[in-house]
Structures are given as structure tokens and as C-alpha cells.
Amino acid sequence: MTRIFLIGYMGAGKTTLGKAFAREMSLNFIDLDWYIEERFHKTVQQLFLERGEDGFRELERKMLHEVAEFEDVVVSAGGGTPCFFDNMEYMNDCGDTVFLDVEPAVLFRRLRVAKQQRPLLANKSDEELMDFICEALQKRHPFYSKAKHLFKADELEDKKQIQASVDSLRKQLNK
């Protein structure tokens, strides 16, 4: 029985690497945000607006506990998921946790092109975006660093890099 939780900041590659790794290992892949959206028929953004951050984080915690019961699964947790309640400890108790560590400059490059799809980033200048990323990483690092495994995920730009990362993660997890 395999349970792997991928954590890290938005743009770290949790979905990209998670899908590829799950496919290679014949595991199911669950993006926690997508799971929440499917269950509640609303976007994460809508749920955030309706319930506020506290309400959303409580809902997220319940859904994390639900998906953590699944077997043979790779779960991509939301970027903030490890930072609330006992979520990080819970994921560590339920399976392998992998922090996808990515340099701020790489995150900036990835998020800059996807700014419009991410409400938190939409109207930020380049300088504001870089500051936002660095501040958030600093706040979240104490939580992310509790993961059982640290994985450098700077190179996920094409199929060759993704496959190399899958192979490397497989070795690291002894899978």
C-alpha cells in the first residue's frame, strides 16, 4: 500500500510531477484542490470567498483526512495545506511526504506566465510577484521542511526533465 503526499508552493510542480509519477507507478493521482472542487461543485476561490480562509482551511482539512484513507495514491496537497492544523504531522503519519523545493526565480518564471489563472497573483507587477513568492516561502518553509523527503523540482519544463525527475523521485523513495 502506497500513499505519497506532494507538498510545496504553487508552481512547484506538484500536479505535473505527481501525475507523471502516479502514471509510472500505476498509482491513482489526486489533486486535493480539484477533489474539493468536485465534491462541492465550486472552485477553491468561490469556497474561500464564501467561507473565509478559516472555513476553507477546515473544509480542506476534512478532505485531506478523506483522501488520506485511499490506498495506492499520490496526493498533490494545496500549497497552504501543510501550514494549518496538524496537517503536516497527519500526512507524515499516513504516508511519505515529499517537499518539492524550487528556487524562487524558477517559481517566479512559472507563476508569471500563469498569473491570470491564479487570483492571488493576477494584478501583481514582476517585483511584487517576486516579493510575494519570497515572503510566502519564508512563512511556509518551517512547515514544508517537516516533510520526510526533500526533492529539488527546478527542472520540470519538458517531457525529458519530467521523466528524469520521476526516475529520481522513484530512487529517492525506493519505489
Side-chain angles (χ1 to χ4, degrees):
M1 194 261 313
T2 302
R3 223 180 261 125
I4 299 166
F5 297 90
L6 301 180
I7 65 166
Y9 197 62
M10 67 175 123
K14 298 180 299 286
T15 300
T16 300
L17 182 57
K19 279 182 172 177
F21 187 80
R23 191 172 34 250
E24 176 103 359
M25 302 297 297
S26 300
L27 300 170
N28 294 307
F29 174 77
I30 296 173
D31 179 300
L32 187 59
D33 284 346
W34 296 349
Y35 185 82
I36 291 168
E37 290 179 350
E38 287 291 312
R39 282 290 304 274
F40 292 89
H41 306 288
K42 294 179 180 178
T43 65
V44 166
Q45 184 183 4
Q46 287 171 320
L47 290 165
F48 229 92
L49 288 171
E50 283 176 13
R51 297 167 179 247
E53 184 171 20
D54 291 346
F56 173 76
R57 295 299 179 187
E58 184 60 46
L59 176 73
E60 178 184 56
R61 180 175 176 263
K62 286 180 182 152
M63 295 300 99
L64 173 65
H65 282 246
E66 201 170 285
V67 300
E69 296 294 316
F70 299 165
E71 296 182 357
D72 300 323
V73 68
V74 175
V75 176
S76 166
T81 305
C83 309
F84 294 88
F85 306 105
D86 62 344
N87 291 348
M88 196 59 228
E89 291 77 9
Y90 183 76
M91 288 186 283
N92 276 329
D93 288 344
C94 292
D96 280 311
T97 50
V98 181
F99 167 35
L100 300 189
D101 189 20
V102 179
E103 291 298 319
V106 175
L107 289 172
F108 172 79
R109 194 176 70 245
R110 290 178 186 169
L111 293 173
R112 188 172 182 235
V113 297
K115 263 195 333 191
Q116 298 317 313
Q117 291 88 30
R118 299 185 184 264
L120 283 175
L121 310 178
N123 299 313
K124 295 195 180 329
S125 69
D126 285 356
E127 189 178 327
E128 289 169 331
L129 178 60
M130 189 61 170
D131 289 346
F132 184 82
I133 291 167
C134 291
E135 267 181 50
L137 287 174
Q138 193 172 14
K139 284 181 193 164
R140 292 179 176 187
H141 195 268
F143 299 97
Y144 291 164
S145 65
K146 292 179 184 176
K148 293 178 183 177
H149 304 274
L150 171 80
F151 186 81
K152 290 299 287 173
D154 291 324
E155 297 186 358
L156 294 171
E157 309 311 314
D158 57 39
K159 285 183 179 179
K160 190 175 174 185
Q161 287 183 352
I162 293 167
Q163 186 59 53
S165 291
V166 166
D167 295 342
S168 180
L169 182 57
R170 227 180 138 155
K171 282 184 192 135
Q172 189 171 337
L173 296 175
N174 297 316
K175 300 285 180 202

